[in-house]
Amino acid sequence: MTAVPGRIAAIVLAGGTSSRTAPAHKLLAPDATGLPMIARTLRAVTASRADPVFIVLGHRAAEIRQAALQGLPPNRRPRFITAPDHAHGLSRTLAAGVRAAMDDPTITGALICLGDMPLIGPLLLDTMMASFGAHPGCPGVLAMHEGRRGNPVLWGRAVFPALLAGRGDSGARHLLAQHAPAMPRVAAGAEIAADFDTPERLAEFSRLFAGS
């Protein structure tokens, strides 16, 4: 793989209310081994080359923080960020994480990961970072499956200021139309569209990872 210049952070968004799975909070839901979803997601992210790893909290922050640390080695624990305006939508949670990354001048890009996508593996994240390093000056990298983009998305530092300006639950969608044509693509599997944000999907998650 091509060496990645500087450092690529990972920002795991975990500040939402999980209203679609209420009263259960999806990030606290256990898989077949008893591991909470947010811990399963972080296990993969921290196994990648991303450094540092930020996790942005908001709703039920104390519970999410405690759950996130389950099963993680001490040397790969994430840095916790709290989004004070998380109730105003995903974009504000994202902005809190990006602001933390901007404070470190050695960080050249950030992988934006969703807390409810535990099937994303470290290999995909490492491949996206390698692609970013192989395309100097690109605004970021997209993960693609059968012609459709999904999550995570890697954004270069040049885009960070624009990420701070998002509003509501749009995340960074307002920037994709502008930058996507110049972003290299990385082939991925169906996991880049596999979230767990309904009661039915949570029931499926509860049966995953048996025997792992």
Side-chain angles (χ1 to χ4, degrees):
M1 287 188 176
T2 303
V4 179
R7 299 161 69 206
I8 307 297
I11 300 173
V12 180
L13 305 182
T17 61
S18 194
S19 59
R20 295 184 65 189
T21 61
H25 194 302
K26 60 186 175 183
L27 299 185
L28 299 173
D31 63 19
T33 73
L35 197 66
M37 184 184 299
I38 188 59
R40 181 64 67 180
T41 297
L42 279 170
R43 179 174 289 189
V45 175
T46 58
S48 76
R49 294 167 55 202
D51 179 45
V53 175
F54 299 101
I55 175 169
V56 189
L57 306 175
H59 183 66
R60 296 174 68 172
E63 294 169 84
I64 301 297
R65 181 188 180 108
Q66 183 177 18
L69 293 174
Q70 292 187 32
L72 291 184
N75 65 332
R76 286 300 283 160
R77 291 189 173 185
R79 302 184 191 180
F80 290 95
I81 306 295
T82 299
D85 52 354
H86 63 89
H88 294 288
L90 177 67
S91 292
R92 306 322 303 151
T93 304
L94 172 60
V98 170
R99 195 172 291 111
M102 288 181 72
D103 287 341
D104 185 336
T106 69
I107 291 176
T108 59
L111 282 155
I112 310 303
C113 305
L114 303 183
D116 68 342
M117 297 189 72
L119 302 184
I120 302 297
L123 178 59
L124 173 60
L125 303 181
D126 286 346
T127 301
M128 293 177 73
M129 288 186 280
S131 179
F132 185 70
H135 295 85
C138 72
V141 177
L142 294 173
M144 304 288 294
H145 175 66
E146 295 182 347
R148 301 186 66 177
R149 63 177 178 252
N151 288 294
V153 176
L154 193 160
W155 289 106
R157 189 179 186 91
V159 185
F160 285 4
L163 290 171
L164 298 180
R167 292 293 182 268
D169 285 320
S170 63
R173 287 197 297 269
H174 64 294
L175 296 175
L176 285 171
Q178 175 184 352
H179 293 291
M183 297 171 73
R185 272 70 167 157
V186 166
E191 71 275 7
I192 65 171
D195 56 14
F196 294 88
D197 61 356
T198 67
E200 293 76 18
R201 290 287 286 152
L202 273 191
E204 294 178 29
F205 177 73
S206 71
R207 297 188 289 270
L208 296 180
F209 303 103
S212 64

